[in-house]
Amino acid sequence: TKADAPALALPKEAVEGCVLGACAAAGMAAERIRVKREDIEHHGHTDAHAIVMMREDLKDEELVLRQSIDALGYVIKSARAGVLPSFEVQAAPVLGPRLMDTSNAVLHHAALCSFVDVCEWCGEHAARYVPELTKALGKGMVGDDEDVRIINEAVSRVAL
């Protein structure tokens, strides 16, 4: 199957390093996003300029998160089933809790994208994630933004 044959023969250490780096960056960005959202809520409408600046910072953090998740996706698509040991130890604990948490669409979509990639590119080796992912997809497939469109396309590929 396509899951068994990696697209690139990446050394195990390279896969582990890439997954660790992407997950560390994603985890830090996720925490900064949470803090910035709390700051925005705390400031309310007291300082319009400060809120505008915080929202700009928030967009920057969301971009870092998206790029980190994209990097993780590239590793998953390249290493395929070979990424699972690293994913299970490093990515699943960071991203897994965000599968069912729809309070922050950016973090939720990041988790969905990563788990969809694992299920799509690692095949039956990733079967243990399918039940949780299926529940999460039911919660997270609403909306009209770009992330939702991408997830819906990926879900269609996994279903095939």
Side-chain angles (χ1 to χ4, degrees):
T1 67
K2 83 174 180 181
D4 292 322
L8 297 173
L10 296 171
K12 180 181 176 189
E13 296 80 18
V15 170
E16 290 172 352
C18 290
V19 172
L20 178 61
C23 290
M28 289 185 291
E31 179 60 18
R32 289 190 302 262
I33 288 168
R34 185 191 63 74
V35 168
K36 288 179 191 303
R37 284 185 184 267
E38 286 176 4
D39 286 347
I40 289 170
E41 288 175 15
H42 174 73
H43 278 81
H45 296 288
T46 58
D47 185 355
H49 178 71
I51 291 174
V52 168
M53 296 305 294
M54 285 184 220
R55 285 193 173 136
E56 287 300 316
D57 288 346
L58 184 59
K59 285 181 185 177
D60 290 343
E61 294 300 340
E62 290 172 349
L63 179 62
V64 169
L65 177 65
R66 281 189 174 106
Q67 290 172 341
S68 300
I69 295 303
D70 286 347
L72 179 59
Y74 295 134
V75 174
I76 292 167
K77 291 168 187 165
S78 297
R80 300 191 180 161
V83 79
L84 279 175
S86 296
F87 185 86
E88 289 172 356
V89 171
Q90 297 166 350
V94 172
L95 299 170
R98 289 163 174 65
L99 277 174
M100 297 305 290
D101 180 5
T102 59
S103 64
N104 182 315
V106 174
L107 299 176
H108 181 67
H109 291 154
L112 285 172
C113 287
S114 296
F115 279 88
V116 166
D117 279 348
V118 163
C119 290
E120 179 182 3
W121 293 93
C122 299
E124 67 272 4
H125 304 287
R128 65 177 281 207
Y129 296 116
V130 172
E132 188 176 2
L133 179 59
T134 303
K135 282 191 266 180
L137 288 169
K139 289 182 83 171
M141 290 180 21
V142 294
D144 58 357
D145 66 3
E146 181 70 9
D147 286 335
V148 172
R149 184 188 62 73
I150 291 168
I151 290 168
N152 285 332
E153 289 173 3
V155 170
S156 297
R157 290 191 306 269
V158 169
L160 297 174

